[in-house]
Amino acid sequence: MNSVAPELSFGLWEHVSLKHIEEKSVMPSSNWAARAFQKTFTNVFQPRGIHARRRRRRRPVQRISLESLEPRQMLSVNPAFSGSSASSANDSSSIAAFVSQNTIGILSTVSNSPTSVVAVSGNAQLAVTWVAPTNTGGSPITDYLVKYSSNSGSTWTNFVHPVSTALSCTVTGLTNGTSYVIKVIAKNAVGISLPSANSAPVIPAATVPSAPTSVVAVSGNAQLAVTWVAPASTGGSPITDYLVKYSSNGGSTWTRFFPSSGLPVTTTSCTVTGLTNGTAYVIKVIARNAVGISLPSSNSAPVTPLAAALTPTFGSTTATATGFTVQITNYNAAYTWAGTATASGTVVVSGTGFVTVSNVAAGTS
């Protein structure tokens, strides 16, 4: 809305400048709801226009200037319609009003400021919390504006985030090692509050990495071949190495694996040696950067190292009256055996792998 001259032409909508209402007006401190702040005036017709003439109160009252509530000092007033609305010429109005005949009543105002703004350091970000305004101005809070400054408040940058009435957010995109202060502004249907007091200065910094994931172990002879996925976040500092640990009691106690080379594990795989065949193990992996170590990964599934299976071999045969005998080397009693003799002979394999073939007719191979 354009600004107006002190003297206004008559029309259906009268633009009444608050500069015309010089008397201080009542504002009860207990409530900012409808009619909590009211100003009564009458229109006086003069040859050059309309002015607002106030009705003075006879007793002392708590007073506040309307001008202190509205930077543009302007309301659009339609006295012809009872209950019609009045709005500010300023898009960021600090008051909302109703009009009933010749009475302007304040319906709501901007809220009080948020308080207790606290920022906690993270990797190129700050986790910010605050306390809601104690007074919403008679209109519900619809959003919070969060701003940050890297020069102690000389200039501010608005942190763009979805509209929300939550009392926390994470301000991202900051620079590690730079000090920031935060302020928060409440918004309601009328406009925005005064900003909160600045938070204490906080410096974003690199953190420990997130945990490695997807740890898998594959059985070998007295060893396990282990692989994993690198952390989703390095914490802002490169991964320097991984700590690989194993447990033979389901994770009650752990032993760190040190490669025989004496070098740290810097890739996402290694072979854990020196284990006991037949014993089940679980593995966990921890990432490390210049700041410190991550939380451990989830444990791998239990895996049991086993000796490599040996190929059975037959020794020299020894003839008997009705057949022959032979010793099997690399024999394992757990193996499944099947022997077939020709010409109605029989085959027996002992628990030690000694094979006896008997009842074979003479001359039969």
Side-chain angles (χ1 to χ4, degrees), residues 80-136:
F81 295 92
S82 176
S84 62
S85 63
S87 61
S88 168
N90 185 358
D91 289 340
S92 59
S93 168
S94 60
I95 57 175
F98 67 89
V99 178
S100 178
Q101 299 300 331
N102 62 346
T103 298
I104 299 177
I106 303 303
L107 288 172
S108 55
T109 69
V110 296
S111 71
N112 288 357
S113 302
T115 58
S116 305
V117 179
V118 176
V120 177
S121 176
N123 177 31
Q125 63 186 29
L126 295 176
V128 183
T129 60
W130 58 90
V131 174
T134 56
N135 191 323
T136 67

Short mmCIF file of all heavy atoms in Angstrom, two decimals, residues 80-136:
data_model
loop_
_atom_site.label_atom_id
_atom_site.label_comp_id
_atom_site.label_asym_id
_atom_site.label_seq_id
_atom_site.Cartn_x
_atom_site.Cartn_y
_atom_site.Cartn_z
N ALA A 80 -17.65 1.17 7.29
CA ALA A 80 -19.01 0.95 6.80
C ALA A 80 -19.51 -0.45 7.11
O ALA A 80 -20.71 -0.70 7.06
CB ALA A 80 -19.06 1.19 5.29
N PHE A 81 -18.61 -1.39 7.41
CA PHE A 81 -19.03 -2.78 7.63
C PHE A 81 -18.58 -3.24 9.01
O PHE A 81 -17.38 -3.32 9.28
CB PHE A 81 -18.43 -3.70 6.56
CG PHE A 81 -18.93 -3.41 5.19
CD1 PHE A 81 -18.23 -2.52 4.36
CD2 PHE A 81 -20.08 -3.99 4.72
CE1 PHE A 81 -18.68 -2.25 3.09
CE2 PHE A 81 -20.54 -3.72 3.45
CZ PHE A 81 -19.85 -2.85 2.63
N SER A 82 -19.54 -3.54 9.85
CA SER A 82 -19.21 -4.03 11.18
C SER A 82 -18.52 -5.39 11.07
O SER A 82 -18.99 -6.28 10.37
CB SER A 82 -20.48 -4.17 12.02
OG SER A 82 -20.18 -4.72 13.28
N GLY A 83 -17.40 -5.55 11.77
CA GLY A 83 -16.69 -6.81 11.75
C GLY A 83 -15.77 -6.98 10.58
O GLY A 83 -15.14 -8.03 10.44
N SER A 84 -15.65 -5.98 9.69
CA SER A 84 -14.72 -6.12 8.57
C SER A 84 -13.29 -6.06 9.09
O SER A 84 -13.03 -5.62 10.19
CB SER A 84 -14.96 -5.01 7.55
OG SER A 84 -14.72 -3.75 8.14
N SER A 85 -12.36 -6.54 8.27
CA SER A 85 -10.98 -6.65 8.75
C SER A 85 -10.19 -5.40 8.43
O SER A 85 -10.54 -4.63 7.54
CB SER A 85 -10.30 -7.86 8.10
OG SER A 85 -10.22 -7.66 6.70
N ALA A 86 -9.15 -5.22 9.16
CA ALA A 86 -8.20 -4.15 8.89
C ALA A 86 -6.83 -4.76 8.79
O ALA A 86 -6.47 -5.63 9.56
CB ALA A 86 -8.24 -3.11 10.01
N SER A 87 -6.06 -4.33 7.81
CA SER A 87 -4.75 -4.92 7.61
C SER A 87 -3.71 -3.84 7.47
O SER A 87 -4.02 -2.69 7.20
CB SER A 87 -4.74 -5.81 6.35
OG SER A 87 -5.05 -5.03 5.22
N SER A 88 -2.45 -4.26 7.65
CA SER A 88 -1.38 -3.29 7.60
C SER A 88 -0.90 -3.08 6.17
O SER A 88 -1.00 -3.95 5.33
CB SER A 88 -0.21 -3.78 8.45
OG SER A 88 0.93 -3.01 8.20
N ALA A 89 -0.34 -1.91 5.95
CA ALA A 89 0.28 -1.63 4.66
C ALA A 89 1.62 -2.33 4.53
O ALA A 89 2.16 -2.43 3.45
CB ALA A 89 0.46 -0.12 4.49
N ASN A 90 2.12 -2.80 5.65
CA ASN A 90 3.43 -3.45 5.66
C ASN A 90 3.25 -4.96 5.57
O ASN A 90 2.49 -5.54 6.34
CB ASN A 90 4.16 -3.08 6.94
CG ASN A 90 5.57 -3.61 6.97
OD1 ASN A 90 5.99 -4.29 6.04
ND2 ASN A 90 6.28 -3.31 8.05
N ASP A 91 3.96 -5.60 4.64
CA ASP A 91 3.84 -7.04 4.51
C ASP A 91 4.26 -7.77 5.77
O ASP A 91 3.79 -8.86 6.05
CB ASP A 91 4.68 -7.54 3.33
CG ASP A 91 4.09 -7.13 2.00
OD1 ASP A 91 2.89 -6.81 1.99
OD2 ASP A 91 4.84 -7.11 1.01
N SER A 92 5.19 -7.20 6.52
CA SER A 92 5.63 -7.81 7.77
C SER A 92 4.98 -7.10 8.95
O SER A 92 5.62 -6.72 9.91
CB SER A 92 7.15 -7.77 7.89
OG SER A 92 7.59 -6.42 7.85
N SER A 93 3.65 -6.92 8.86
CA SER A 93 2.90 -6.21 9.89
C SER A 93 3.12 -6.83 11.26
O SER A 93 3.29 -8.03 11.39
CB SER A 93 1.42 -6.27 9.54
OG SER A 93 0.64 -5.85 10.63
N SER A 94 3.09 -6.01 12.28
CA SER A 94 3.24 -6.51 13.63
C SER A 94 1.92 -6.53 14.39
O SER A 94 1.89 -6.87 15.55
CB SER A 94 4.26 -5.68 14.40
OG SER A 94 3.83 -4.34 14.46
N ILE A 95 0.80 -6.09 13.76
CA ILE A 95 -0.50 -6.19 14.41
C ILE A 95 -1.56 -6.58 13.39
O ILE A 95 -1.41 -6.34 12.20
CB ILE A 95 -0.92 -4.85 15.09
CG1 ILE A 95 -0.93 -3.71 14.06
CG2 ILE A 95 -0.04 -4.53 16.26
CD1 ILE A 95 -1.44 -2.41 14.63
N ALA A 96 -2.61 -7.23 13.87
CA ALA A 96 -3.79 -7.50 13.05
C ALA A 96 -4.99 -6.92 13.78
O ALA A 96 -5.05 -6.98 15.00
CB ALA A 96 -3.98 -9.00 12.84
N ALA A 97 -5.95 -6.33 13.05
CA ALA A 97 -7.04 -5.62 13.72
C ALA A 97 -8.37 -5.96 13.10
O ALA A 97 -8.46 -6.51 12.01
CB ALA A 97 -6.80 -4.12 13.64
N PHE A 98 -9.46 -5.67 13.84
CA PHE A 98 -10.80 -5.76 13.29
C PHE A 98 -11.44 -4.38 13.38
O PHE A 98 -11.00 -3.52 14.15
CB PHE A 98 -11.64 -6.79 14.05
CG PHE A 98 -11.94 -6.40 15.47
CD1 PHE A 98 -13.06 -5.65 15.77
CD2 PHE A 98 -11.09 -6.79 16.49
CE1 PHE A 98 -13.34 -5.30 17.07
CE2 PHE A 98 -11.37 -6.43 17.80
CZ PHE A 98 -12.49 -5.68 18.09
N VAL A 99 -12.48 -4.17 12.59
CA VAL A 99 -13.17 -2.89 12.60
C VAL A 99 -14.65 -3.14 12.90
O VAL A 99 -15.27 -3.99 12.28
CB VAL A 99 -13.05 -2.18 11.24
CG1 VAL A 99 -13.82 -0.86 11.27
CG2 VAL A 99 -11.59 -1.94 10.93
N SER A 100 -15.18 -2.48 13.88
CA SER A 100 -16.59 -2.57 14.20
C SER A 100 -17.12 -1.14 14.31
O SER A 100 -16.87 -0.45 15.30
CB SER A 100 -16.79 -3.33 15.51
OG SER A 100 -18.17 -3.37 15.84
N GLN A 101 -17.85 -0.74 13.27
CA GLN A 101 -18.31 0.65 13.18
C GLN A 101 -17.11 1.58 13.28
O GLN A 101 -16.24 1.55 12.44
CB GLN A 101 -19.37 0.94 14.26
CG GLN A 101 -20.62 0.07 14.14
CD GLN A 101 -21.33 0.28 12.81
OE1 GLN A 101 -21.26 1.34 12.22
NE2 GLN A 101 -21.99 -0.77 12.33
N ASN A 102 -17.01 2.35 14.37
CA ASN A 102 -15.91 3.30 14.46
C ASN A 102 -14.87 2.88 15.50
O ASN A 102 -14.20 3.69 16.10
CB ASN A 102 -16.45 4.69 14.82
CG ASN A 102 -17.13 4.70 16.18
OD1 ASN A 102 -17.41 3.65 16.72
ND2 ASN A 102 -17.37 5.89 16.71
N THR A 103 -14.75 1.55 15.71
CA THR A 103 -13.80 1.05 16.70
C THR A 103 -12.75 0.17 16.01
O THR A 103 -13.08 -0.71 15.24
CB THR A 103 -14.51 0.20 17.77
OG1 THR A 103 -15.44 1.01 18.45
CG2 THR A 103 -13.49 -0.37 18.77
N ILE A 104 -11.48 0.47 16.28
CA ILE A 104 -10.39 -0.39 15.84
C ILE A 104 -9.99 -1.26 17.02
O ILE A 104 -9.67 -0.74 18.08
CB ILE A 104 -9.17 0.42 15.38
CG1 ILE A 104 -9.54 1.32 14.19
CG2 ILE A 104 -8.00 -0.50 15.01
CD1 ILE A 104 -8.39 2.20 13.75
N GLY A 105 -10.02 -2.58 16.85
CA GLY A 105 -9.61 -3.49 17.92
C GLY A 105 -8.48 -4.38 17.45
O GLY A 105 -8.52 -4.90 16.34
N ILE A 106 -7.48 -4.53 18.27
CA ILE A 106 -6.34 -5.36 17.91
C ILE A 106 -6.68 -6.82 18.20
O ILE A 106 -6.96 -7.19 19.34
CB ILE A 106 -5.09 -4.94 18.69
CG1 ILE A 106 -4.79 -3.47 18.44
CG2 ILE A 106 -3.90 -5.81 18.31
CD1 ILE A 106 -4.61 -3.13 16.98
N LEU A 107 -6.66 -7.67 17.16
CA LEU A 107 -6.94 -9.10 17.33
C LEU A 107 -5.72 -9.87 17.79
O LEU A 107 -5.81 -10.74 18.63
CB LEU A 107 -7.44 -9.69 16.00
CG LEU A 107 -8.84 -9.30 15.57
CD1 LEU A 107 -9.11 -9.80 14.18
CD2 LEU A 107 -9.87 -9.83 16.55
N SER A 108 -4.59 -9.61 17.19
CA SER A 108 -3.39 -10.36 17.54
C SER A 108 -2.16 -9.57 17.13
O SER A 108 -2.26 -8.59 16.38
CB SER A 108 -3.39 -11.72 16.87
OG SER A 108 -3.53 -11.58 15.46
N THR A 109 -1.02 -9.99 17.64
CA THR A 109 0.24 -9.35 17.33
C THR A 109 1.26 -10.42 16.99
O THR A 109 0.98 -11.61 17.06
CB THR A 109 0.76 -8.54 18.52
OG1 THR A 109 1.16 -9.46 19.54
CG2 THR A 109 -0.31 -7.61 19.06
N VAL A 110 2.44 -10.01 16.65
CA VAL A 110 3.52 -10.98 16.52
C VAL A 110 3.82 -11.56 17.90
O VAL A 110 3.48 -10.97 18.93
CB VAL A 110 4.78 -10.34 15.93
CG1 VAL A 110 4.52 -9.87 14.52
CG2 VAL A 110 5.28 -9.21 16.81
N SER A 111 4.44 -12.71 17.93
CA SER A 111 4.74 -13.37 19.20
C SER A 111 5.94 -12.74 19.89
O SER A 111 6.65 -11.91 19.31
CB SER A 111 5.03 -14.86 18.95
OG SER A 111 6.28 -15.01 18.30
N ASN A 112 6.15 -13.17 21.12
CA ASN A 112 7.41 -12.84 21.78
C ASN A 112 8.55 -13.57 21.08
O ASN A 112 8.33 -14.45 20.24
CB ASN A 112 7.37 -13.29 23.25
CG ASN A 112 6.46 -12.41 24.08
OD1 ASN A 112 5.90 -11.44 23.59
ND2 ASN A 112 6.29 -12.79 25.34
N SER A 113 9.76 -13.24 21.45
CA SER A 113 10.93 -13.90 20.87
C SER A 113 11.13 -15.29 21.47
O SER A 113 10.83 -15.52 22.64
CB SER A 113 12.19 -13.08 21.13
OG SER A 113 12.06 -11.78 20.61
N PRO A 114 11.65 -16.22 20.67
CA PRO A 114 12.12 -17.48 21.25
C PRO A 114 13.26 -17.21 22.23
O PRO A 114 13.90 -16.15 22.18
CB PRO A 114 12.61 -18.28 20.03
CG PRO A 114 11.93 -17.63 18.85
CD PRO A 114 11.80 -16.19 19.21
N THR A 115 13.54 -18.16 23.10
CA THR A 115 14.59 -17.99 24.09
C THR A 115 15.48 -19.23 24.15
O THR A 115 15.19 -20.24 23.53
CB THR A 115 13.99 -17.73 25.49
OG1 THR A 115 13.14 -18.84 25.85
CG2 THR A 115 13.16 -16.45 25.51
N SER A 116 16.54 -19.09 24.92
CA SER A 116 17.43 -20.22 25.26
C SER A 116 17.93 -20.97 24.03
O SER A 116 17.82 -22.20 23.94
CB SER A 116 16.71 -21.19 26.21
OG SER A 116 16.24 -20.53 27.35
N VAL A 117 18.48 -20.24 23.08
CA VAL A 117 19.01 -20.87 21.87
C VAL A 117 20.37 -21.51 22.18
O VAL A 117 21.27 -20.83 22.68
CB VAL A 117 19.16 -19.84 20.73
CG1 VAL A 117 19.73 -20.51 19.49
CG2 VAL A 117 17.81 -19.20 20.43
N VAL A 118 20.48 -22.80 21.89
CA VAL A 118 21.71 -23.55 22.16
C VAL A 118 22.15 -24.25 20.89
O VAL A 118 21.33 -24.88 20.21
CB VAL A 118 21.50 -24.58 23.29
CG1 VAL A 118 22.76 -25.41 23.49
CG2 VAL A 118 21.11 -23.88 24.59
N ALA A 119 23.42 -24.15 20.55
CA ALA A 119 23.98 -24.82 19.38
C ALA A 119 25.07 -25.79 19.83
O ALA A 119 25.88 -25.46 20.69
CB ALA A 119 24.56 -23.80 18.40
N VAL A 120 25.04 -27.00 19.26
CA VAL A 120 26.02 -28.03 19.58
C VAL A 120 26.81 -28.38 18.32
O VAL A 120 26.23 -28.63 17.26
CB VAL A 120 25.33 -29.29 20.16
CG1 VAL A 120 26.35 -30.38 20.43
CG2 VAL A 120 24.57 -28.93 21.43
N SER A 121 28.11 -28.44 18.46
CA SER A 121 29.00 -28.64 17.31
C SER A 121 28.83 -30.01 16.68
O SER A 121 28.62 -31.02 17.36
CB SER A 121 30.45 -28.46 17.75
OG SER A 121 31.35 -28.75 16.69
N GLY A 122 28.95 -30.05 15.35
CA GLY A 122 28.99 -31.28 14.57
C GLY A 122 29.92 -31.06 13.40
O GLY A 122 30.55 -30.01 13.27
N ASN A 123 30.00 -32.04 12.53
CA ASN A 123 30.86 -31.94 11.36
C ASN A 123 30.23 -31.04 10.32
O ASN A 123 29.25 -31.42 9.67
CB ASN A 123 31.10 -33.34 10.77
CG ASN A 123 31.93 -33.29 9.50
OD1 ASN A 123 32.78 -32.42 9.32
ND2 ASN A 123 31.66 -34.21 8.59
N ALA A 124 30.73 -29.82 10.17
CA ALA A 124 30.21 -28.82 9.23
C ALA A 124 28.75 -28.50 9.49
O ALA A 124 28.02 -28.11 8.60
CB ALA A 124 30.41 -29.28 7.78
N GLN A 125 28.33 -28.65 10.75
CA GLN A 125 26.93 -28.37 11.08
C GLN A 125 26.81 -28.08 12.57
O GLN A 125 27.71 -28.33 13.36
CB GLN A 125 26.06 -29.57 10.71
CG GLN A 125 26.39 -30.84 11.48
CD GLN A 125 25.60 -32.03 10.98
OE1 GLN A 125 25.21 -32.11 9.82
NE2 GLN A 125 25.34 -32.98 11.86
N LEU A 126 25.65 -27.51 12.93
CA LEU A 126 25.33 -27.24 14.33
C LEU A 126 23.93 -27.76 14.61
O LEU A 126 22.99 -27.49 13.86
CB LEU A 126 25.39 -25.74 14.63
CG LEU A 126 26.75 -25.04 14.50
CD1 LEU A 126 26.59 -23.55 14.75
CD2 LEU A 126 27.76 -25.64 15.48
N ALA A 127 23.78 -28.52 15.69
CA ALA A 127 22.47 -28.97 16.15
C ALA A 127 21.92 -27.89 17.08
O ALA A 127 22.50 -27.61 18.13
CB ALA A 127 22.58 -30.30 16.87
N VAL A 128 20.80 -27.27 16.69
CA VAL A 128 20.28 -26.10 17.38
C VAL A 128 18.95 -26.43 18.05
O VAL A 128 18.08 -27.08 17.45
CB VAL A 128 20.09 -24.92 16.40
CG1 VAL A 128 19.62 -23.67 17.14
CG2 VAL A 128 21.38 -24.63 15.65
N THR A 129 18.79 -25.99 19.30
CA THR A 129 17.52 -26.11 20.01
C THR A 129 17.16 -24.76 20.61
O THR A 129 18.03 -23.90 20.81
CB THR A 129 17.60 -27.15 21.13
OG1 THR A 129 18.61 -26.76 22.06
CG2 THR A 129 17.92 -28.54 20.57
N TRP A 130 15.87 -24.57 20.90
CA TRP A 130 15.43 -23.32 21.52
C TRP A 130 14.12 -23.57 22.26
O TRP A 130 13.50 -24.64 22.13
CB TRP A 130 15.26 -22.21 20.48
CG TRP A 130 14.29 -22.53 19.37
CD1 TRP A 130 12.95 -22.29 19.33
CD2 TRP A 130 14.62 -23.18 18.11
NE1 TRP A 130 12.41 -22.73 18.15
CE2 TRP A 130 13.40 -23.27 17.37
CE3 TRP A 130 15.79 -23.67 17.55
CZ2 TRP A 130 13.35 -23.85 16.11
CZ3 TRP A 130 15.73 -24.24 16.29
CH2 TRP A 130 14.53 -24.33 15.58
N VAL A 131 13.69 -22.56 23.02
CA VAL A 131 12.44 -22.62 23.76
C VAL A 131 11.42 -21.72 23.07
O VAL A 131 11.75 -20.60 22.65
CB VAL A 131 12.64 -22.18 25.22
CG1 VAL A 131 11.31 -22.09 25.96
CG2 VAL A 131 13.58 -23.14 25.93
N ALA A 132 10.19 -22.20 22.93
CA ALA A 132 9.14 -21.46 22.24
C ALA A 132 8.82 -20.15 22.96
O ALA A 132 9.04 -20.03 24.18
CB ALA A 132 7.88 -22.31 22.14
N PRO A 133 8.31 -19.15 22.24
CA PRO A 133 7.92 -17.90 22.89
C PRO A 133 6.90 -18.14 23.99
O PRO A 133 6.04 -19.02 23.89
CB PRO A 133 7.30 -17.09 21.73
CG PRO A 133 7.89 -17.67 20.49
CD PRO A 133 8.09 -19.11 20.78
N THR A 134 6.99 -17.36 25.05
CA THR A 134 6.02 -17.49 26.15
C THR A 134 4.66 -16.92 25.77
O THR A 134 3.66 -17.24 26.38
CB THR A 134 6.54 -16.75 27.39
OG1 THR A 134 6.83 -15.39 27.06
CG2 THR A 134 7.80 -17.42 27.92
N ASN A 135 4.64 -16.08 24.74
CA ASN A 135 3.38 -15.46 24.29
C ASN A 135 3.35 -15.51 22.77
O ASN A 135 4.23 -14.98 22.10
CB ASN A 135 3.32 -14.01 24.79
CG ASN A 135 1.95 -13.40 24.61
OD1 ASN A 135 1.27 -13.65 23.62
ND2 ASN A 135 1.54 -12.58 25.57
N THR A 136 2.33 -16.15 22.21
CA THR A 136 2.24 -16.27 20.75
C THR A 136 1.61 -15.07 20.09
O THR A 136 1.45 -15.03 18.87
CB THR A 136 1.43 -17.51 20.36
OG1 THR A 136 0.06 -17.32 20.76
CG2 THR A 136 2.00 -18.77 21.00
#
